[in-house]
Amino acid sequence: KCEGSPGYPDGKMEFQIQLQNETDFRSFEFPNASVIDKDRNCVRKHIISITYAFTEEWNEAKIRCKYKHSKDFDETSVFVLSRECF
């Protein structure tokens, strides 16, 4: 889930990813993402929710939830467990 107040009325947020073997972040659109904009009193709350099955390719990837056209972001890492752990 990625959420924040990116600006009213046109503010948007996006995901950026950096896989383990990549040196730069790139924009990424998760399939079937649910996007909700809640506008109230000239403030926009933008929420992107995803459900995604991460494969081994995503192990140690970094994902950013970022305001478009801004340097502000929140970042997390993905750790994929091998099937042997289940």
Side-chain angles (χ1 to χ4, degrees):
K1 185 184 214 177
C2 177
E3 67 180 85
S5 297
Y8 179 86
D10 299 321
K12 297 288 183 195
M13 300 185 74
E14 68 178 350
F15 286 104
Q16 291 183 331
I17 65 166
Q18 180 185 42
L19 299 180
Q20 185 180 24
N21 61 345
E22 297 176 342
T23 56
D24 295 316
F25 279 86
R26 58 186 164 95
S27 293
F28 187 82
E29 290 190 29
F30 287 95
N32 304 317
S34 169
V35 179
I36 298 171
D37 287 321
K38 295 181 179 179
D39 295 333
R40 186 173 181 188
N41 299 327
C42 297
V43 175
R44 165 163 289 175
K45 184 172 185 180
H46 190 74
I47 304 165
I48 308 171
S49 299
I50 63 161
T51 300
Y52 192 77
F54 293 104
T55 61
E56 289 182 25
E57 173 188 30
W58 284 81
N59 193 38
E60 296 186 39
K62 294 179 183 175
I63 301 176
R64 288 182 176 172
C65 172
K66 182 182 177 304
Y67 295 130
K68 280 189 176 183
H69 312 297
S70 172
K71 293 183 181 188
D72 295 334
F73 63 87
D74 189 23
E75 185 175 296
T76 192
S77 295
V78 176
F79 296 96
V80 179
L81 299 175
S82 71
R83 293 192 182 272
E84 297 171 2
C85 294
F86 296 103

mmCIF file of all heavy atoms in Angstrom, residues 28 43 50 63 72:
data_model
loop_
_atom_site.group_PDB
_atom_site.id
_atom_site.type_symbol
_atom_site.label_atom_id
_atom_site.label_comp_id
_atom_site.label_asym_id
_atom_site.label_seq_id
_atom_site.Cartn_x
_atom_site.Cartn_y
_atom_site.Cartn_z
ATOM 1 N N PHE A 28 7.320 1.737 -11.734
ATOM 2 C CA PHE A 28 6.726 0.418 -11.925
ATOM 3 C C PHE A 28 5.250 0.486 -11.594
ATOM 4 O O PHE A 28 4.873 1.019 -10.552
ATOM 5 C CB PHE A 28 7.413 -0.621 -11.029
ATOM 6 C CG PHE A 28 6.964 -2.026 -11.278
ATOM 7 C CD1 PHE A 28 7.505 -2.762 -12.313
ATOM 8 C CD2 PHE A 28 5.991 -2.612 -10.485
ATOM 9 C CE1 PHE A 28 7.092 -4.075 -12.551
ATOM 10 C CE2 PHE A 28 5.569 -3.913 -10.716
ATOM 11 C CZ PHE A 28 6.124 -4.637 -11.756
ATOM 12 N N VAL A 43 -7.595 19.185 -0.064
ATOM 13 C CA VAL A 43 -6.509 18.261 0.280
ATOM 14 C C VAL A 43 -6.830 16.929 -0.374
ATOM 15 O O VAL A 43 -7.942 16.419 -0.267
ATOM 16 C CB VAL A 43 -6.370 18.086 1.809
ATOM 17 C CG1 VAL A 43 -5.319 17.033 2.135
ATOM 18 C CG2 VAL A 43 -6.041 19.410 2.475
ATOM 19 N N ILE A 50 -2.068 -2.764 -3.552
ATOM 20 C CA ILE A 50 -1.683 -3.825 -4.482
ATOM 21 C C ILE A 50 -1.704 -5.183 -3.801
ATOM 22 O O ILE A 50 -1.557 -5.279 -2.580
ATOM 23 C CB ILE A 50 -0.276 -3.601 -5.079
ATOM 24 C CG1 ILE A 50 0.788 -3.637 -3.978
ATOM 25 C CG2 ILE A 50 -0.191 -2.314 -5.848
ATOM 26 C CD1 ILE A 50 2.184 -3.865 -4.461
ATOM 27 N N ILE A 63 11.550 -1.140 -2.959
ATOM 28 C CA ILE A 63 10.343 -0.524 -3.510
ATOM 29 C C ILE A 63 10.143 0.820 -2.833
ATOM 30 O O ILE A 63 10.203 0.922 -1.609
ATOM 31 C CB ILE A 63 9.099 -1.397 -3.280
ATOM 32 C CG1 ILE A 63 9.279 -2.771 -3.924
ATOM 33 C CG2 ILE A 63 7.845 -0.704 -3.810
ATOM 34 C CD1 ILE A 63 8.131 -3.712 -3.654
ATOM 35 N N ASP A 72 10.549 13.307 -2.456
ATOM 36 C CA ASP A 72 10.065 12.680 -1.228
ATOM 37 C C ASP A 72 9.567 11.267 -1.500
ATOM 38 O O ASP A 72 8.814 11.034 -2.448
ATOM 39 C CB ASP A 72 8.930 13.507 -0.626
ATOM 40 C CG ASP A 72 9.389 14.881 -0.177
ATOM 41 O OD1 ASP A 72 10.592 15.031 0.132
ATOM 42 O OD2 ASP A 72 8.548 15.804 -0.136
#
